Structure formats: C-alpha cells, structure tokens
Amino acid sequence: MSYTDTFFIGFFLSASWVGIYNAALPLAYTLAIFLVAFNSLAYTLFSEYYAKGMLSEISKLFSVLLRWLFACALPFFLLLVVYSKDLLKLFFGPEYIGGSTALILLSIGAFFNVIAGPVVIILQTFKKTRYIFKVQLTSALLNISLNIYLIPLMGITGAAIATAASMILWNAIFFIWSYYRLHPSLRVSYYFKYVLSGVGALLISVFLVRRILDPLGKSDLVVILAAFLISYSFFVLILKAFSSDDLQIMLAFERKTGLNLSFFKRIFRFFL
C-alpha cells in the first residue's frame, strides 16, 4: 500500500511531498516490528496445536499474544502520536514537520495492525489463504480509490487516511473471523492497566520535556525514550498486568525455540 500512496502523491502533488510522506511512513511502520517478532515465534506453535487438534491452546496463545502485542506497541504508539512533530524534526529536519498529521494517522493504522494480533497466521493455519487474498485485494482496491479521491483534496493527509483505513479494514475482518472461530479471552482489566501505565509514563515524559529538556535535542530523545519505557515497565509490573497464562506461553516459546527466557520468567514469577 505504501507504494500506491507514493505513486499517487507523486502524480497529484510535488516531489517534496513524496519525501515528507516517505519520512513519516517508516516511523509509523516501526510498530510492525513487534508483530513480525511475535509472528515468527508463534507460527510453529499454532501449526503444532492445529495438527494436534488443540483448539483451546490456540485460543489461549491468541489471547496472550493479543495482550503482549498491545502492551509492547502501546508506549511506542503514544510516543509517535504525542511527539510526531519532534520526531520528524529531529530525524529529518524542520521542513518535514508538515508530515506530522500523516505520521499520526499512519501510526493509528499501524497500531491497529499490531493489536489485531497474528490474525493472518491464524487464517493461514486454518487453510484460509483464498479468504486472505480476497480481503486484502478488496482493501487494496479501497486504498487506491481513497488515494485518488482524497489526495487532491487533503494532500498527504489523504494518503495517510487511505492507508490507515485499508489496514484497519482488513485487520478488523480477519480479527472478527479469528475471534468467532477461537473465542479468545479478552480480559479488559489488563488492557486498562496497560493504558493506565502508558498515560502515567506519558505524563512523566511530558514533564521532562516541558520543564527540563525544552527545546528537545537529539541526545534528549534518548533520555525521553528511556524514562518513558522505564516508567511504563514499572507501572505495568506494579499493577500486575499479566497472568499465569503469560508464563505458560513463555515456557512453550522457550521449549519450541530453545531461547533462554529465565530472566523474564523470574520477573513474572516475582510479581504474580
């Protein structure tokens, strides 16, 4: 979809706007790192459980991954939204600040793509490749149509809306299918704790920026990021925003991949 956006931005607008959009796009797509990482770990487990007919284990794994992805992506999503102008200015220069709205919209689409969970992997596990193709083709056609309509009206903001809407559409359809097939346990209280942790960490970072590190420099970005992530992790641990299912899935990952997750297991056991 990003290639479609770039093509139509170049067709309707000047080359400078293509550059600004292509600065915002990779920043937003950094959120996908979490989905790629967890998908690579979960794929073999989904396949193993499906082959053994263990649908309850697939449902449990899906439930835990949904929470993990939300918990991991949320702090970075908040940083991209709140500090969109600062990030574009620091990484690319003040002339790229005009892409801040596009960055926020693209981040919303990318965040939804992550928190919908490993839905593509699940549909592949259940041999629904034709269904995946049809839905993604529909989303691609929607993306093209919205680009043609919105870019002349709204510039790169229109391109960002087109991409975000398309990503949200196919992820929502896949999530609905996966939800009604597996009935994962969505423990709302845990998600509330993640949001509360994110807001608390965000307030701390805003205080640092406004009172200590204003104006924000490149070296200060590291301080802000460290303070935000440490605060967020602290709040998550204090609020006990995880369950025994998390530890079970971690043990399954350790068994399947051979990774040594002892450090994380000790933390989980201490706060459970």
Side-chain angles (χ1 to χ4, degrees):
M1 291 182 184
S2 60
Y3 297 109
T4 305
D5 297 348
T6 301
F7 172 79
F8 283 111
I9 292 171
F11 183 81
F12 289 112
L13 306 175
S14 64
S16 61
W17 285 112
V18 175
I20 293 173
Y21 188 81
N22 284 336
L25 191 65
L27 282 177
Y29 279 13
T30 56
L31 294 173
I33 292 172
F34 300 105
L35 184 60
V36 172
F38 283 116
N39 275 352
S40 62
L41 289 172
Y43 183 77
T44 54
L45 281 177
F46 278 128
S47 299
E48 176 186 326
Y49 293 153
Y50 181 78
K52 295 178 179 178
M54 301 168 65
L55 294 185
S56 61
E57 292 301 315
I58 295 178
S59 177
K60 182 189 294 185
L61 177 58
F62 185 34
S63 303
V64 171
L65 288 177
L66 285 173
R67 287 194 291 104
W68 285 6
L69 286 165
F70 187 91
C72 290
L74 178 63
F76 294 94
F77 168 69
L78 292 175
L79 287 172
L80 287 170
V81 170
V82 175
Y83 298 110
S84 57
K85 292 182 179 179
D86 298 294
L87 290 169
L88 286 169
K89 181 180 178 181
L90 288 172
F91 284 113
F92 302 102
E95 63 273 18
Y96 287 85
I97 291 178
S100 61
T101 302
L103 174 56
I104 292 171
L105 292 168
L106 290 168
S107 297
I108 292 172
F111 182 63
F112 196 91
N113 179 48
V114 173
I115 66 174
V119 286
V120 174
I121 298 294
I122 289 173
L123 266 75
Q124 289 174 340
T125 301
F126 282 88
K127 317 299 182 185
K128 295 294 181 178
T129 52
R130 291 184 63 186
Y131 182 72
I132 294 172
F133 172 75
K134 290 177 182 178
V135 173
Q136 292 190 334
L137 177 61
T138 303
S139 298
L141 293 174
L142 173 66
N143 179 256
I144 293 171
S145 301
L146 289 176
N147 270 305
I148 294 172
Y149 178 72
L150 293 175
I151 291 176
L153 296 176
M154 306 175 68
I156 62 171
T157 299
I161 291 174
T163 293
S166 303
M167 291 177 69
I168 290 172
L169 174 65
W170 67 261
N171 275 288
I173 293 173
F174 289 163
F175 179 82
I176 290 170
W177 188 96
S178 302
Y179 180 84
Y180 282 102
R181 184 68 179 84
L182 296 173
H183 302 287
S185 175
L186 301 179
R187 301 178 181 180
V188 178
S189 61
Y190 287 98
Y191 291 92
F192 177 74
K193 291 177 181 179
Y194 300 138
V195 173
L196 194 62
S197 300
V199 172
L202 190 61
L203 291 175
I204 292 174
S205 70
V206 169
F207 173 81
L208 288 174
V209 170
R210 296 286 174 83
R211 298 297 179 89
I212 302 174
L213 302 174
D214 189 21
L216 194 64
K218 286 187 177 181
S219 59
D220 299 329
L221 182 63
V222 178
V223 177
I224 293 298
L225 181 61
F228 186 89
L229 294 179
I230 291 172
S231 302
Y232 179 76
S233 301
F234 173 78
F235 289 134
V236 167
L237 292 173
I238 292 300
L239 292 173
K240 296 186 176 182
F242 40 81
S243 68
S244 57
D245 286 345
D246 297 317
L247 185 58
Q248 292 178 23
I249 297 302
M250 194 176 295
L251 291 171
F253 278 141
E254 190 175 52
R255 171 182 58 81
K256 199 68 179 177
T257 63
L259 295 173
N260 186 356
L261 303 176
S262 300
F263 174 75
F264 298 101
K265 288 189 294 183
R266 284 197 297 270
I267 293 177
F268 271 56
R269 289 191 177 107
F270 181 79
F271 284 94
L272 275 176

